[in-house]
Amino acid sequence: MEITVRPATRDDVGVLHRLRVEAENWLAAQGIEQWGHGHLTRDDVHAQVVDGQWHVAQTDDGEVAGGLRLLWADEPVWQADHAFAAYVHGLVVGRRFAGLGVGERLLAWVQERARDARAPTVRLDCVESNGALRSYYARLGFREVGRRDFDGPWLAAVLLEKPVPAADLLDDLRLAFDVSDRAARLASAHFEAGVAATPKADGSPVTEADRAVERLLRESLSQARPDDAFLGEELGRVGESERVWVLDPIDGTGAFVRGDPNWRVHVALQVRGATQVAVVTSPALRRCWWATRGGGAFEAAWPRADGAPRRLEVSTTAALAGAVVDAVGDAARARLPAGTRRPPVSPLPLVGLVRGEIDAVLAEGYHVWDHAPWILLVEEAGGRFADRTGGRAGDRGGGLYSNAALHGPLRGLLGYPAQGRRCG
């Protein structure tokens, strides 16, 4: 089903009001008072449509499946926190279209409009008692940033916002896709031919494939972004810039040498120390994962033209007892809390985490090129990362990756500080 978002017209007033009443009735049957039953009249909708506030989601056969109001100011609700942003109100989807992605399409359209207007965030509010809707917004990347008490039927509302990725981040993502694909094809040729490894100074293995792939990544990126800096596992750091491409040409060299398909190409862009773009490609497994700051995390077949992407979401497990928790390495595994369960052995448990199959992963040690892309992927899938200082830096020897609900309890049990350097 194709969905087009367009400005509402006077002809849409009746259907928008009907959808709102249907939603109110359905919510009331669930014991939820989202807007205040009957608060919005047809005349109210008409006035808001005339004012240009309402936009509708229309199917390819012309039916209105849902709608929302888009405002650029909302001081009555946000009060002292008010700022220029894209404010969403009255998001409604016809019951017949529930579960078909209409709400997601509408909110994605708002994000596009916000980017065009150079608004830094998309904001909305939700009645505090509507746990299902709050979880829905969390899965779409919104974070709860405040709370308001009201005298009306809503009683209390939570305030949520989601960053809007800058247009240049999308250009950087397209570049990361391009260079990652080229690197993956070169690495695959070496993998199929077979390579031998030699030990580096730290004892870890390296092959000519590692060096050749990193050279390709650096050359391709430097042609497109000559002012950027580079930090790679094999060739070190080159350049000084607030924009640094962090590269791991073959993550899992040991597997690569053995003919095991569980190796990957890592490409991440850090801006002022925080990862903004991440692409992880696993050509031998024909999969790839990517994320942009504020734009969500995704998985698809590789090459990506082979199938539609899947949006990644961490689990919602909230109880430690029985939670599925994994670790990388025996020392980290020995520190996992009692009462949690271990998943089947996986060469990359972080994939299970962003898919929602694993609730947390303790991955201590390793280097910034191992962690930089996964910190962003986990956070954009709705999860959290903490390094051992309590911050979010990828160059502090790894740390705890988890879903949002378990993050605080696990961090406390592991002895991680509550706060620290906040970098991605």
Side-chain angles (χ1 to χ4, degrees):
M1 179 179 68
E2 293 293 327
I3 292 291
T4 301
V5 181
R6 61 169 176 80
T9 69
R10 288 177 172 83
D11 293 337
D12 299 313
V13 170
V15 68
L16 284 170
H17 187 252
R18 175 177 57 78
L19 292 178
R20 170 67 172 245
V21 172
E22 288 178 354
E24 289 176 352
N25 291 338
W26 183 83
L27 288 166
Q30 316 305 311
I32 299 168
E33 193 77 22
Q34 172 65 32
W35 296 295
H37 205 65
H39 176 74
L40 187 73
T41 68
R42 182 180 175 122
D43 287 343
D44 293 330
V45 176
H46 181 272
Q48 292 164 356
V49 167
V50 170
D51 195 41
Q53 298 178 18
W54 278 98
H55 297 79
V56 298
Q58 181 174 294
T59 67
D60 43 12
D61 61 3
E63 186 172 359
V64 173
L68 56 73
R69 293 168 60 210
L70 172 60
L71 307 175
W72 300 100
D74 189 8
E75 192 169 1
V77 173
W78 286 75
Q79 299 172 11
D81 298 317
H82 176 259
F84 174 61
Y87 293 90
V88 174
H89 283 278
L91 174 62
V92 62
V93 174
R95 295 306 307 157
R96 193 165 68 81
F97 297 95
L100 299 181
V102 176
E104 290 92 328
R105 176 68 186 93
L106 279 162
L107 290 171
W109 174 86
V110 170
Q111 184 161 279
E112 293 165 8
R113 299 290 74 72
R115 183 181 301 114
D116 293 343
R118 299 188 180 277
T121 59
V122 175
R123 288 178 158 185
L124 48 80
D125 58 272
C126 173
V127 66
E128 190 173 45
S129 59
N130 194 342
L133 187 56
R134 289 169 68 179
S135 296
Y136 170 80
Y137 288 138
R139 290 196 300 272
L140 295 181
F142 286 87
R143 300 288 181 264
E144 295 186 3
V145 296
R147 181 181 182 277
R148 291 287 181 269
D149 289 311
F150 295 98
D151 295 330
W154 307 276
L155 299 179
V158 291
L159 308 180
L160 305 98
E161 70 178 15
K162 179 179 180 180
V164 176
D168 55 1
L169 272 191
L170 300 182
D171 289 338
D172 288 327
L173 176 63
R174 285 188 282 268
L175 175 60
F177 277 149
D178 180 54
V179 300
S180 295
D181 289 346
R182 283 191 253 169
R185 289 191 289 270
L186 176 59
S188 295
H190 283 280
F191 180 69
E192 291 164 6
V195 293
T198 56
K200 293 190 285 190
D202 63 1
S204 62
V206 65
T207 71
E208 179 50 39
D210 292 86
R211 299 187 181 98
V213 171
E214 186 165 329
R215 283 194 294 269
L216 172 64
L217 287 169
R218 288 172 180 260
E219 290 168 3
S220 301
L221 288 165
S222 62
Q223 288 176 4
R225 302 287 189 272
D227 295 329
D228 291 356
F230 303 92
L231 174 62
E233 179 175 9
E234 309 307 335
L235 303 177
R237 176 157 184 149
V238 173
E240 292 298 328
S241 171
E242 65 178 18
R243 291 170 46 92
V244 182
W245 293 91
V246 182
L247 311 172
D248 192 346
I250 299 176
D251 180 57
T253 299
F256 187 89
V257 172
R258 295 193 302 271
D260 181 332
N262 289 289
W263 53 273
R264 298 151 296 278
V265 177
H266 286 185
V267 174
L269 172 63
Q270 291 189 334
V271 181
R272 294 183 292 277
T275 304
Q276 302 295 314
V277 174
V279 176
V280 175
T281 309
S282 181
L285 296 178
R286 313 296 287 181
R287 306 301 297 171
C288 66
W289 302 267
W290 69 90
T292 55
R293 180 71 63 186
F298 300 87
E299 176 181 357
W302 185 85
R304 286 175 305 284
D306 290 351
R310 162 193 176 184
R311 183 158 190 144
L312 296 166
E313 298 175 0
V314 297
S315 72
T316 57
T317 303
L320 276 173
V324 181
V325 182
D326 205 353
V328 180
D330 293 338
R333 196 168 287 112
R335 299 181 60 213
L336 296 180
T340 57
R341 295 185 294 124
R342 306 293 168 262
V345 175
S346 168
L348 191 59
L350 290 173
V351 170
L353 178 62
V354 294
R355 287 174 175 170
E357 301 162 353
I358 295 175
D359 301 315
V361 177
L362 184 62
E364 295 179 328
Y366 308 97
H367 303 279
V368 64
W369 42 79
D370 299 301
H371 292 286
W374 288 104
I375 292 173
L376 183 61
L377 277 158
V378 169
E379 290 182 342
E380 287 299 317
R384 302 288 186 271
F385 171 76
D387 63 40
R388 287 181 285 184
T389 71
R392 292 165 44 224
D395 59 356
R396 292 291 186 268
L400 170 68
Y401 296 84
S402 66
N403 73 14
L406 291 176
H407 197 66
L410 282 171
R411 192 177 57 197
L413 288 170
L414 292 167
Y416 279 34
Q419 295 182 0
R421 179 172 174 243
R422 294 184 61 79
C423 296

